[in-house]
Amino acid sequence: MKLEHIQIITNNIESTTAFYSHTLGLSILEHNKESVSFQAGNSVLQFTENPKFDSIYHFAFNIPENKLEEAIAWCTDKVALIRIEEQNVIANFENWNANAVYFYDNNGNLLEFIARHDLHNSQTGKFSSKSILNISEIGIVAENPLELGNELTAKYGLTFFSKNANSAIFSAVGDDEGLLIMVKSNRNWYPTQTPSESNPTAISIKNNGAVMELQF
């Protein structure tokens, strides 16, 4: 499953444009007073402006499975990585065979670089913004994530993520290429103490050749 296009909200287009273009080095596809779109590997990340918006999103980028240490070094003078425990910034998801690091954008959104070792997508070049492969996760907040997951699988032919222990508190639909991470409202976004909130999110998904548009 591929997350081809994500549309979320920012309360400041200009500062968001500066962060994603200058700090993260993503190419701008379109920019006006009301929205800005960036190329993030094979995905498009779009922000629309609402000056009154006061909440955060969580989303992740897939990076080559052998480039996490290089990504950490690349982040050093750009963003402050979130500590998982003591001095360690690397999260180990054993069941998912993946490792990740987390940081915030200018909006306070929780971002993630994740290296999924089962994708076998190693690269030899030096890590840069061009090493970002795609948007791999977007967080969706629901009162019952398992129920929402069942609705999505029934209506759109999607599947639950086989590596995840799906429940009414935390469920995931998709695969290593792209995941809808569904969490119960007010559950803290890992690895922070920030509670999740339901925010407007538009997603374009490609799955088994079919393209579908989802609104949350």
Side-chain angles (χ1 to χ4, degrees):
M1 186 177 90
K2 300 182 185 301
L3 304 180
E4 297 205 316
H5 187 282
I6 302 292
Q7 181 182 313
I8 56 180
I9 298 174
T10 176
N11 58 22
N12 190 315
I13 283 290
E14 294 311 316
S15 65
T16 296
T17 300
F19 178 86
Y20 283 89
S21 63
H22 300 316
T23 303
L24 289 193
L26 299 184
S27 298
I28 298 174
L29 296 175
E30 185 178 358
H31 179 209
N32 56 50
K33 293 181 179 180
E34 298 179 347
S35 72
V36 61
S37 299
F38 306 93
Q39 191 74 54
N42 293 323
S43 303
V44 175
L45 174 63
Q46 180 181 9
F47 290 87
T48 59
E49 187 171 72
N50 179 349
K52 297 181 179 180
F53 184 72
D54 184 25
S55 188
I56 69 157
Y57 294 87
H58 166 53
F59 52 97
F61 300 106
N62 272 343
I63 63 171
E65 62 99 9
N66 65 327
K67 291 295 182 179
L68 191 65
E69 291 292 345
E70 285 188 35
I72 291 171
W74 182 80
C75 286
T76 299
D77 60 352
K78 296 177 175 62
V79 295
L81 296 177
I82 298 171
R83 293 179 183 178
I84 307 301
E85 54 184 23
E86 298 180 356
Q87 299 300 313
N88 184 31
V89 298
I90 300 176
N92 178 32
F93 300 110
E94 186 174 346
N95 291 343
W96 292 19
N97 195 22
N99 300 97
V101 292
Y102 294 84
F103 56 95
Y104 296 108
D105 74 355
N106 63 293
N107 303 286
N109 294 321
L110 178 63
L111 275 57
E112 176 183 355
F113 283 156
I114 184 164
R116 302 180 187 274
H117 305 297
D118 289 337
L119 286 179
H120 305 296
N121 55 8
S122 297
Q123 290 186 0
T124 57
K126 186 178 180 181
F127 185 90
S128 70
S129 58
K130 296 186 184 301
S131 303
I132 294 172
L133 302 174
N134 59 283
I135 299 172
S136 66
E137 299 176 6
I138 178 66
I140 304 297
V141 179
E143 286 309 308
N144 190 321
L146 188 61
E147 184 177 290
L148 175 59
N150 283 322
E151 292 174 3
L152 292 172
T153 59
K155 184 174 182 179
Y156 296 103
L158 305 177
T159 57
F160 279 102
F161 188 35
S162 60
K163 299 177 184 178
N164 188 60
N166 298 293
S167 71
I169 297 174
F170 179 97
S171 290
V173 165
D175 54 35
D176 285 317
E177 288 283 356
L179 290 169
L180 303 180
I181 300 293
M182 298 171 292
V183 302
K184 190 172 180 62
S185 180
N186 291 316
R187 178 185 184 273
N188 289 346
W189 287 120
Y190 177 84
T192 75
Q193 298 300 309
T194 303
S196 60
E197 295 181 290
S198 179
N199 297 314
T201 307
I203 309 169
S204 178
I205 291 173
K206 189 173 184 179
N207 187 55
N208 294 326
V211 177
M212 55 205 73
E213 307 291 335
L214 305 181
Q215 299 275 346
F216 296 99

